[in-house]
């Protein structure tokens, strides 16, 4: 089993490019090992570098307002 992961939200990577990236990793794993199971996980919070740059505080301190990702973004990732 192979886990592949990348955080596409809040970067220049479009979701269609992310889909293609995941598909290419699955293809690479299958051609190298035969029948390899691939899995990934969905980004459900903002990266620390983003919250530090935009909100000037780390995400560990919490926020009073919703900061993302938005429900629609999570739906599209799944």
């Amino acid at each position: 089993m192979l886990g592949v992961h990348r955080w596409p939200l809040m970067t220049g990577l479009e979701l269609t490019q992310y889909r293609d990236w995941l598909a290419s990793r699955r293809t690479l794993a299958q051609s190298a090992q035969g029948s390899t199971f691939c899995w990934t996980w969905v980004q459900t919070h903002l990266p620390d570098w983003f919250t530090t740059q935009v909100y000037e505080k780390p995400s560990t301190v919490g926020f009073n307002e919703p900061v993302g990702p938005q429900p629609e973004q999570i739906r599209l990732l799944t």
Side-chain angles (χ1 to χ4, degrees), residues 21-40:
W21 181 83
L22 285 173
S24 70
R25 297 302 166 252
R26 184 181 60 213
T27 302
L28 286 171
Q30 289 174 351
S31 65
Q33 296 292 328
S35 59
T36 301
F37 293 100
C38 292
W39 65 280
T40 189

Side-chain angles (χ1 to χ4, degrees), residues 45-57:
H45 60 282
L46 297 175
D48 287 333
W49 65 265
F50 184 82
T51 57
T52 302
Q53 184 176 11
V54 174
Y55 298 101
E56 298 179 346
K57 63 181 180 178

